[in-house]
């Protein structure tokens, strides 16, 4: 028995030990200190040309434009040092505030940025469109809302479906026809175009079809873990019921089901919608959905509120009551301007950048701050009551969407708070002079102007 055990142990050791091949594995003599080994000394410093603002005090935190820099370096003022290693400079140029953060950044906040360009793109059949999403899989702390960017080519459908989450949408470009039937049998159909909004409550079945020229729209769901891949699709409902049951339920011959889809359609080409929408205005004995509960709001026709640094448009249940817990603003910031420092006391903020480029500093109590850079197509996320601003860092207008899970669009602005607090309290707390306090504005600014 002892001989057998010894043979087993010997065989096991032989299996575990690597084959002896000095050319492949090197020599054990290379491990550790050797008095005869010379270590080469090589200069690894990097020659670089600082961009505007890079040599200024780090706490000033001006935006560093690395767009045309071949080899951007993680240096700001007297902080940081050169990086001679292998790097993805395309990301470094896009995210200068990550590479060389302002000196006021501290610690590590949640990740408040996700580029939709890094999301997996789900392609529709027969070149009919695509969809990509952001949820807690890629932004684990964005728990209250998730988003989908979807494109339908002319005549293409987003298949008849429903969700377990409420769906709020902003049309980014083009136009489409949407249709729905609610739990009371009331019907709805309408055409929407760039800048318009729709909302479908959870469980309400609906469809979307692109009109001539196609459409791209943004979907926001009231659940951060929502996934487009878990949608209830008409094709799948039919595919996973016994055909005898379907025929009985619908009151049709069994043979009528011979050609139902064998797989989901999701995004697929279709017969172009009739130009006369009344041809698709199907009604039941319950009638159409009332205007007060309309699933659409033609936000594109609402004038923007102009301020010194740009403009703001707000939509919430006061004007769009069916979306009872969705409040949103489209903000336009002129070059050099910024959405003022603010926070939302009643909701997280889910932000989508539509045009231009900008940056934001997310501040978490008591002393954590991270600055993020954003470009068109990015998602931002700012938790409830965490302060932030959004500054235009480019040469064109910055346009973005702020979405809240709240019955009204509200925020608290840092400037208005400080300006509306008794001066002596502010002087004792912050050390600001009377002259400085006299320059503050007691009215909310929303967007403040600045030099480019």
């Amino acid at each position: 028995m002892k001989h057998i055990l010894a043979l087993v142990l010997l065989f096991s050791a032989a299996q575990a030990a690597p084959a002896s091949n000095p050319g492949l594995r090197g020599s054990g003599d290379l491990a550790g200190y050797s008095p005869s080994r010379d270590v080469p000394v090589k200069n690894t410093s990097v020659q670089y040309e600082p961009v505007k603002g890079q040599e200024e005090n780090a706490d000033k935190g001006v935006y560093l434009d690395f767009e045309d820099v071949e080899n951007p370096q993680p240096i700001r003022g007297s902080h940081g040092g050169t990086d001679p290693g292998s790097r993805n400079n395309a990301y470094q140029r896009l995210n200068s505030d990550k590479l060389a953060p302002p000196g006021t950044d501290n610690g590590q906040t949640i990740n408040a940025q996700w580029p939709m360009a890094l999301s997996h793109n789900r392609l529709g059949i027969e070149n009919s469109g695509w969809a990509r999403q952001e949820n807690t899989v890629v932004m684990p702390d964005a728990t209250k809302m998730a988003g989908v960017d979807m494109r339908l080519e002319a005549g293409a459908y987003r298949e008849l479906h429903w969700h377990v989450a409420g769906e709020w949408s902003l049309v980014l470009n083009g136009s489409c026809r949407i249709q729905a039937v609610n739990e009371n049998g009331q019907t709805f159909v309408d055409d929407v175009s760039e800048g318009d909004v729709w909302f479908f409550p959870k469980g309400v079945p609906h469809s979307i079809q692109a009109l001539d020229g196609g459409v791209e729209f943004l979907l926001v769901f009231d659940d951060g873990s929502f996934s487009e891949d878990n949608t209830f699709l008409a094709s799948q409902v039919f595919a996973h019921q016994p055909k005898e049951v379907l025929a009985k339920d619908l009151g049709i011959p069994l043979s009528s089901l011979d050609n139902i889809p064998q797989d989901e359609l999701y995004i697929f080409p279709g017969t172009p919608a009739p130009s006369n929408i009344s041809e698709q205005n199907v009604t039941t004995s319950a009638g159409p959905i009332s205007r007060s509960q309309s699933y659409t709001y033609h936000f594109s026709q609402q004038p923007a509120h102009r301020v010194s640094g740009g403009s703001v448009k707000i939509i919430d249940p006061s004007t769009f009551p069916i979306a009872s817990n969705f409040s949103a603003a489209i903000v336009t910031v002129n070059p050099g301007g910024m959405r003022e420092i603010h926070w939302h006391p009643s909701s997280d903020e889910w932000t989508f950048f539509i045009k231009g480029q900008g940056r934001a500093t997310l501040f978490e109590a008591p002393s954590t701050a991270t600055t993020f850079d954003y470009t068109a197509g990015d998602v931002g996320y700012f938790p409830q009551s965490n302060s932030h601003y959004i500054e235009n860092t480019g040469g064109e207008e910055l346009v973005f969407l702020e979405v809240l899970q709240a019955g009204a669009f509200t925020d608290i602005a840092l400037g208005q708070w400080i300006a509306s607090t008794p001066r002596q309290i502010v002087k004792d707390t912050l050390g600001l002079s009377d002259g400085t306090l006299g320059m503050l504005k007691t009215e909310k600014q929303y967007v403040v102007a600045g030099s480019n």
Side-chain angles (χ1 to χ4, degrees):
M1 183 67 180
K2 291 181 180 179
H3 295 297
I4 294 174
L5 180 59
L7 286 171
V8 170
L9 292 174
L10 182 62
F11 176 77
S12 299
Q15 290 291 97
S20 177
N21 187 336
L24 177 64
R25 299 189 181 277
S27 169
D29 295 338
L30 299 178
Y33 168 76
S34 172
S36 62
R37 186 179 304 122
D38 291 327
V39 177
V41 177
K42 182 180 179 181
N43 183 4
T44 62
S45 63
V46 176
Q47 298 299 314
Y48 76 101
E49 185 70 28
V51 300
K52 182 180 179 181
Q54 193 167 6
E55 295 181 308
E56 295 185 23
N57 186 291
D59 284 357
K60 188 173 182 181
V62 298
Y63 176 69
L64 303 181
D65 186 356
F66 288 148
E67 181 178 358
D68 298 321
V69 177
E70 181 179 351
N71 191 20
Q73 294 298 310
I75 294 174
R76 189 184 278 271
S78 61
H79 297 180
T82 59
D83 182 356
S86 300
R87 302 180 296 156
N88 186 328
N89 279 330
Y91 281 114
Q92 311 277 30
R93 296 185 190 100
L94 282 173
N95 297 282
S96 65
D97 284 301
K98 287 184 178 177
L99 179 66
T104 48
D105 278 14
N106 184 50
Q108 184 177 16
T109 63
I110 68 165
N111 177 35
Q113 175 202 39
W114 178 256
M116 280 287 196
L118 294 181
S119 293
H120 178 268
N121 214 347
R122 184 174 179 180
L123 306 182
I125 60 176
E126 299 180 43
N127 303 118
S128 54
W130 48 261
R132 50 193 179 187
Q133 67 183 2
E134 168 278 327
N135 56 22
T136 51
V137 172
V138 295
M139 292 186 79
D141 294 293
T143 58
K144 300 299 184 182
M145 287 167 277
V148 174
D149 183 10
M150 185 174 292
R151 163 70 176 174
L152 302 178
E153 299 290 347
Y157 286 103
R158 170 66 171 94
E159 183 184 345
L160 285 161
H161 65 285
W162 74 90
H163 310 285
V164 295
E167 173 187 302
W168 189 96
S169 179
L170 173 71
V171 181
L172 297 175
N173 53 69
S175 56
C176 60
R177 180 165 297 168
I178 62 172
Q179 167 276 330
V181 181
N182 70 11
E183 60 267 45
N184 299 317
Q186 295 173 301
T187 58
F188 183 85
V189 62
D190 194 16
D191 291 342
V192 288
S193 59
E194 181 176 337
D196 290 339
V197 169
W198 76 69
F199 177 77
F200 294 119
K202 58 185 67 176
V204 170
H206 55 279
S207 68
I208 307 162
Q209 184 178 21
L211 300 177
D212 291 346
V215 68
E216 181 184 0
F217 47 86
L218 184 70
L219 303 171
V220 185
F221 296 91
D222 54 8
D223 178 359
S225 63
F226 173 85
S227 173
E228 268 288 288
D229 298 330
N230 295 332
T231 300
F232 291 88
L233 302 173
S235 60
Q236 294 298 285
V237 175
F238 271 61
H240 295 286
Q241 314 295 327
K243 288 188 176 180
E244 183 271 338
V245 172
L246 274 175
K248 183 184 297 184
D249 183 70
L250 300 174
I252 58 177
L254 190 63
S255 60
S256 301
L257 302 170
D258 289 346
N259 296 320
I260 62 174
Q262 298 302 302
D263 198 2
E264 66 181 44
L265 299 175
Y266 188 67
I267 295 175
F268 66 102
T271 304
S275 57
N276 185 352
I277 193 173
S278 64
E279 295 180 30
Q280 294 190 322
N281 192 15
V282 179
T283 57
T284 69
S285 59
I289 289 174
S290 66
R291 180 179 292 273
S292 65
Q293 291 296 298
S294 171
Y295 289 146
T296 59
Y297 183 83
H298 292 269
F299 198 33
S300 62
Q301 298 176 28
Q302 177 178 316
H305 174 66
R306 302 288 175 182
V307 292
S308 63
S311 66
V312 181
K313 290 174 62 172
I314 290 175
I315 178 174
D316 62 21
S318 64
T319 52
F320 191 34
I322 189 65
S324 60
N325 205 42
F326 276 85
S327 298
I330 293 179
V331 181
T332 299
V333 183
N334 296 334
M338 58 179 274
R339 171 78 163 96
E340 64 181 339
I341 299 173
H342 69 282
W343 57 94
H344 301 284
S346 58
S347 173
D348 292 3
E349 175 189 320
W350 189 94
T351 300
F352 185 79
F353 290 82
I354 299 171
K355 177 184 177 183
Q357 68 177 54
R359 68 169 181 168
T361 297
L362 170 63
F363 174 70
E364 295 178 351
S367 59
T368 307
T370 304
T371 302
F372 299 89
D373 296 294
Y374 300 92
T375 58
D378 288 356
V379 173
Y381 195 84
F382 307 103
Q384 179 178 341
S385 290
N386 289 9
S387 72
H388 55 283
Y389 61 85
I390 300 179
E391 180 185 19
N392 187 339
T393 57
E396 64 173 346
E397 283 185 339
L398 171 65
V399 182
F400 55 89
L401 170 73
E402 298 180 25
V403 183
L404 312 181
Q405 284 291 288
F409 189 92
T410 61
D411 64 21
I412 293 178
L414 176 68
Q416 185 181 46
W417 173 42
I418 297 301
S420 305
T421 298
R423 285 193 177 187
Q424 192 60 55
I425 296 175
V426 178
K427 288 170 64 176
D428 290 346
T429 304
L430 298 175
L432 300 180
S433 68
D434 284 321
T436 298
L437 293 174
M439 298 169 64
L440 303 183
K441 299 176 176 62
T442 56
E443 298 303 316
K444 195 173 293 186
Q445 302 299 298
Y446 293 104
V447 183
V448 296
S451 59
N452 186 15

